[in-house]
Amino acid sequence: MGTQLKDVKIPADAVKSLLLEKHAEYIAAYGNKKDDYEYCITEYLRMSGVYWGLTAMDLMGKIDMMNKEEIIEFVKSCQREDGGFGASVDHDSSLLYTLSAIQILVIYNCLEVIDVENAVKYIVSLQKEDGSFAGDIWGEIDTRFSFCAIAALCLVERLDVVHVDKAVDYVVSCMNFDGGFGCRPGSESHSGQIYCCLGVLAITHRLYHVNVDMLGWWLCERQLSSGGLNGRPEKLPDVCYSWWVLASLKIIGKIHWINKEKLVEFILACQDDETGGFADRPGDMADPFHTLFGIAGLSLLDYGSDVKEVNPVFCMPEYVIKKLKNKPEIL
């Protein structure tokens, strides 16, 4: 007998409809529980947490439930002297949180509250001679950081300040024989890295570098019998890959290659019908990260009128991205 692929079983009594009101209440309450253990131990990724919650609320049409003034003040307080943004107040700058900060302010249409030029200088300072980007002053190189840099500069409409051709060449050097991309040249293909590399190529209008059919096939093989998607072979499905895989398929025009109905069933089964929010898999604990990507995945699958259209490159509402002068390419 052959080996059986790792997968999960969807319970017979799993939720089968979108609990939109519960999710809105879950996210709105999350930021108010500042004394909770869970809130305190996630300080190291607070900026991204605000972005996840705000974007999910906007996609659900519930952004007014968020405290706009408090969020903007928080973002402003996290800009460091070097121009970058930390995860929270007094945390070191990082490209990850710099992108999240810019995404938040673009959604609120108030970039002017920060020092944009200094943020741009920070991003430029992290590009290396080979076109790659370090995530921060400590120097880790990863294609995630290439995406963060290029996406952030696109959102503030300053792509002219970095070596775009070199950035693209570096991303292309991370392409593998299976059509996918890794975090560095020679690293194995992974759905999250594929999304990041496709994002760079979409923003810079260089998707012609991609073998669309080969990559589309690799991505479609991420769907398991449960309907869920995994990040790479022999791994369990996870709601977050409903974003990384689906968004990548959307960018290359192959989203119709997966079983939509089965994936919708899997995503809906990952909802917590008591607290609200989405978990990674059915029966696990909900969190804001998986809540955003569950809702964004449903948006990509055109699930009903309750969820707004999401942009597959930026994971932001499409109406926000339509205002950009340089819109990313979608095949």
Side-chain angles (χ1 to χ4, degrees), residues 48-279:
S48 291
V50 174
Y51 153 71
W52 299 330
L54 181 69
T55 304
M57 288 296 235
D58 201 358
L59 290 173
M60 293 189 292
K62 303 288 187 180
I63 195 171
D64 290 341
M65 292 176 68
M66 303 292 275
N67 188 325
K68 179 178 178 179
E69 290 72 26
E70 185 179 297
I71 289 172
I72 291 172
E73 283 305 312
F74 169 73
V75 173
K76 285 168 59 180
S77 72
C78 293
Q79 187 167 26
R80 313 299 293 156
E81 286 184 14
D82 60 12
F85 290 79
S88 194
V89 181
D90 296 329
H91 284 233
D92 289 343
S93 296
S94 161
L95 269 181
L96 291 171
Y97 305 117
T98 299
L99 173 59
S100 292
I102 288 170
Q103 288 173 304
I104 292 164
L105 298 181
V106 169
I107 287 174
Y108 274 137
N109 194 28
C110 62
L111 273 172
E112 70 280 356
V113 304
I114 60 164
D115 186 341
V116 175
E117 281 308 307
N118 208 17
V120 168
K121 287 178 185 174
Y122 171 73
I123 296 169
V124 171
S125 73
L126 294 171
Q127 188 172 31
K128 304 303 178 184
E129 185 59 35
D130 63 358
S132 65
F133 284 86
D136 52 34
I137 60 169
W138 308 110
E140 181 187 1
I141 303 296
D142 189 308
T143 45
R144 286 180 303 154
F145 307 138
S146 295
F147 173 73
C148 290
I150 296 299
L153 290 173
C154 181
L155 288 171
V156 300
E157 301 187 342
R158 290 301 309 277
L159 268 175
D160 57 300
V161 297
V162 287
H163 295 290
V164 171
D165 289 343
K166 283 187 175 183
V168 169
D169 288 345
Y170 181 76
V171 163
V172 172
S173 76
C174 298
M175 190 187 299
N176 292 318
F177 69 92
D178 54 16
F181 294 82
C183 58
R184 287 177 291 278
S187 297
E188 70 170 318
S189 297
H190 185 283
S191 301
Q193 310 296 153
I194 289 169
Y195 164 80
C196 291
C197 292
L198 286 179
V200 171
L201 299 178
I203 291 168
T204 58
H205 296 265
R206 312 289 177 89
L207 285 173
Y208 54 78
H209 286 291
V210 179
N211 184 326
V212 172
D213 288 345
M214 188 183 294
L215 178 56
W217 179 255
W218 190 93
L219 289 165
C220 290
E221 286 192 318
R222 306 281 58 78
Q223 188 164 34
L224 301 170
S225 298
S226 63
L229 301 165
N230 62 16
R232 52 200 167 103
E234 297 300 320
K235 296 296 181 180
L236 287 171
D238 185 319
V239 155
C240 70
Y241 293 113
S242 303
W243 174 256
W244 313 119
V245 174
L246 269 189
S248 298
L249 286 168
K250 180 74 172 179
I251 291 169
I252 63 173
K254 300 296 183 185
I255 199 167
H256 59 287
W257 281 12
I258 57 109
N259 186 319
K260 171 182 172 179
E261 290 73 23
K262 291 284 288 181
L263 181 52
V264 167
E265 181 185 3
F266 175 82
I267 296 173
L268 293 176
C270 294
Q271 298 175 99
D272 190 315
D273 59 358
E274 293 182 13
T275 66
F278 288 75

